């Protein structure tokens, strides 16, 4: 059974202020975003020399960073955003998100303009801008990114655009980079580092050797197919008005010629000024909208090969299933891990991980 320690820290300075005796913990990591966290903090006197006042102080929403140590390795870093107490519970219900969520609470207050600039360098400039403001530095370092694809972007100060969403939008265009905000021990101190990854984060199919199998280390799965938002033609409306409005349209002629009906959707992207950017977004979105959206959630054992810690969000894995839905010879395909929610064991139950899986590329 893995040993988890929950470290509360001052968000701005990173100073550890307490070790929280949390119960019913669940923490998640997602690709290019912020995974959530929930836990229960008992308000009883059975916590050594801690007082209730100390526990309340060490879990203050919006000011408290939370770092999860699993067997000596930092596996999650985030911010406590919500706290709830109900009479009779004798506990605080805590909620939070990964550190990236901080940048969703920051806005661009300067005009930034780039032509033929590496997309990773633009991400770095946005993060650096956020942390240059008084009170805005939470200690995230951004190394010089690996060269990838150049982009053109212009944002005006009066637009007050959300910095987190701007970075996420860069990741979501065609050939956009993945990103992650990673926490680790460095010389005994917890460090926070923003990485951009191109062409992607994680190892591709065939390189990892990760296999999840039912029956076996895959405990259960949920597969949902939804075609209500499917489209074989995607239109995007960009910046401007009337005849000067930026427009882009792309169709999946292969599907249409193959017998699929014409299904259309329109994307409202009024803040996108560059035609090349609009075209790139449409190209990326067409691949998403073309088929019924199939979402996979797979619950796996953390203590069975491939064990938790041997894979990262972004890796590809092989999924094998033989059951009523997929009778023999069964299902056998590669998927990409785009999210993972860990539920630590409590001494009587094993540790489980719920994986969010997507198609590989």
């Amino acid at each position: 059974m893995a040993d988890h320690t929950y470290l509360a820290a001052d968000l701005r300075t990173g100073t550890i202020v307490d070790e929280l005796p949390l119960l019913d913990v669940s923490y998640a990591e997602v690709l290019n975003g912020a995974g959530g966290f929930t836990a229960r903090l008992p308000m009883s006197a059975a916590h050594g020399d801690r007082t209730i006042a100390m526990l309340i102080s060490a879990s203050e929403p919006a000011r408290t960073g939370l770092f999860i140590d699993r067997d000596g390795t930092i596996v999650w870093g985030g911010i406590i955003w919500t706290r709830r107490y109900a009479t009779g519970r004798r506990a605080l219900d805590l909620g939070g998100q990964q550190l990236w969520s901080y940048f969703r609470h920051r806005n661009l207050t300067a005009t930034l303009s780039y032509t033929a600039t590496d997309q990773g360098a633009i991400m770095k400039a946005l993060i650096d801008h956020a942390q240059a403001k008084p009170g805005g530095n939470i200690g995230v370092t951004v190394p010089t990114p690996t060269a990838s694809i150049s982009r053109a972007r212009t944002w005006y100060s009066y637009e007050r655009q959300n910095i987190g969403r701007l970075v996420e939008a860069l990741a979501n265009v065609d050939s956009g980079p993945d990103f992650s905000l990673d926490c680790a021990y460095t010389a005994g101190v917890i460090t926070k580092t923003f990485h951009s990854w191109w062409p992607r984060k994680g190892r591709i199919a065939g390189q990892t050797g990760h296999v999840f199998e039912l029956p076996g280390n895959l405990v259960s799965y949920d597969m949902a197919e939804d075609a209500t938002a499917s489209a074989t033609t995607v239109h995007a409306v960009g910046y401007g008005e009337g005849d000067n409005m930026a427009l882009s349209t792309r169709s999946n002629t292969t599907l249409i010629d193959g017998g699929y009906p014409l299904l259309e959707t329109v994307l409202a992207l009024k803040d996108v000024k560059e035609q090349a950017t609009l075209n790139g977004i449409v190209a990326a979105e067409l691949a998403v909208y073309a088929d019924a959206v199939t979402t996979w959630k797979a619950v796996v054992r953390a203590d069975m090969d491939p064990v938790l810690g041997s894979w990262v969000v972004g890796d590809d894995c092989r999924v094998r299933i033989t059951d009523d839905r997929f009778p023999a010879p069964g299902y056998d395909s590669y998927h990409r891990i785009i999210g993972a929610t860990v539920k630590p064991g409590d001494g009587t139950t094993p540790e489980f991980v719920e994986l969010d899986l997507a198609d590989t590329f």
Side-chain angles (χ1 to χ4, degrees), residues 50 62 117 178 236 270 274 306 308 310 316 334 348 355:
R50 295 180 184 87
T117 303
D178 290 331
K270 297 294 289 181
E274 298 82 9
L308 179 60
S310 66
D316 287 346
Y334 284 93
T348 60
L355 303 178

Side-chain angles (χ1 to χ4, degrees), residues 48-127:
D49 58 358
R50 295 180 184 87
T51 65
I52 291 177
M54 292 170 64
L55 293 175
I56 291 175
S57 176
S59 60
E60 183 179 352
R63 183 170 182 175
T64 304
L66 182 74
F67 300 95
I68 301 178
D69 177 312
R70 182 180 186 270
D71 290 339
T73 299
I74 297 296
V75 294
W76 194 89
I79 302 170
I80 295 175
W81 288 111
T82 65
R83 187 170 62 182
R84 179 180 181 183
Y85 182 82
T87 302
R89 287 270 291 166
R90 300 192 69 195
L92 294 174
D93 292 324
L94 305 180
Q97 289 184 310
Q98 285 181 283
L99 282 173
W100 177 248
S101 62
Y102 171 73
F103 294 98
R104 292 176 175 171
H105 290 259
R106 297 296 311 280
N107 294 89
L108 188 62
T109 58
T111 295
L112 298 181
S113 185
Y114 303 95
T115 57
T117 303
D118 185 272
Q119 55 191 353
I122 298 175
M123 287 180 165
K124 174 177 168 59
L126 288 167
I127 301 301

Side-chain angles (χ1 to χ4, degrees), residues 4-255:
H4 286 77
T5 304
Y6 307 102
L7 304 172
D10 181 272
L11 179 60
R12 286 176 57 181
T13 66
T15 303
I16 303 298
V17 296
D18 205 347
E19 178 181 323
L20 300 179
L22 300 179
L23 301 174
D24 300 335
V25 175
S26 174
Y27 60 94
E29 178 184 357
V30 299
L31 190 65
N32 302 334
F37 160 85
T38 59
R40 180 165 54 91
L41 178 58
M43 291 283 97
S44 66
H47 300 307
D49 58 358
R50 295 180 184 87
T51 65
I52 291 177
M54 292 170 64
L55 293 175
I56 291 175
S57 176
S59 60
E60 183 179 352
R63 183 170 182 175
T64 304
L66 182 74
F67 300 95
I68 301 178
D69 177 312
R70 182 180 186 270
D71 290 339
T73 299
I74 297 296
V75 294
W76 194 89
I79 302 170
I80 295 175
W81 288 111
T82 65
R83 187 170 62 182
R84 179 180 181 183
Y85 182 82
T87 302
R89 287 270 291 166
R90 300 192 69 195
L92 294 174
D93 292 324
L94 305 180
Q97 289 184 310
Q98 285 181 283
L99 282 173
W100 177 248
S101 62
Y102 171 73
F103 294 98
R104 292 176 175 171
H105 290 259
R106 297 296 311 280
N107 294 89
L108 188 62
T109 58
T111 295
L112 298 181
S113 185
Y114 303 95
T115 57
T117 303
D118 185 272
Q119 55 191 353
I122 298 175
M123 287 180 165
K124 174 177 168 59
L126 288 167
I127 301 301
D128 289 345
H129 170 84
Q131 294 198 119
K133 295 286 186 178
N137 189 348
I138 63 169
V140 174
T141 60
V142 189
T144 301
T146 302
S148 57
I149 292 177
S150 295
R151 304 285 186 190
R153 292 290 187 277
T154 298
W155 301 295
Y156 296 103
S157 60
Y158 59 79
E159 295 173 321
R160 291 296 195 265
Q161 296 210 48
N162 184 280
I163 288 174
R165 301 303 183 188
L166 291 179
V167 173
E168 291 165 21
L170 280 166
N172 289 332
V173 298
D174 192 28
S175 296
D178 290 331
F179 69 86
S180 60
L181 205 170
D182 305 312
C183 302
Y185 286 122
T186 303
V189 177
I190 297 176
T191 56
K192 315 161 190 173
T193 308
F194 176 89
H195 291 109
S196 59
W197 313 81
W198 190 83
R200 55 170 280 175
K201 179 184 178 183
R203 294 161 288 180
I204 63 173
Q207 291 183 343
T208 65
H210 305 326
V211 179
F212 298 104
E213 191 166 12
L214 180 70
N217 56 357
L218 199 164
V219 179
S220 64
Y221 71 93
D222 185 302
M223 173 191 173
E225 299 166 279
D226 186 352
T228 56
S230 294
T232 49
T233 294
V234 175
H235 308 280
V237 179
Y239 183 80
E241 299 293 338
D243 292 338
N244 295 321
M245 186 179 298
L247 298 171
S248 183
T249 296
R250 184 166 297 194
S251 298
N252 191 322
T253 55
T254 300
L255 289 180

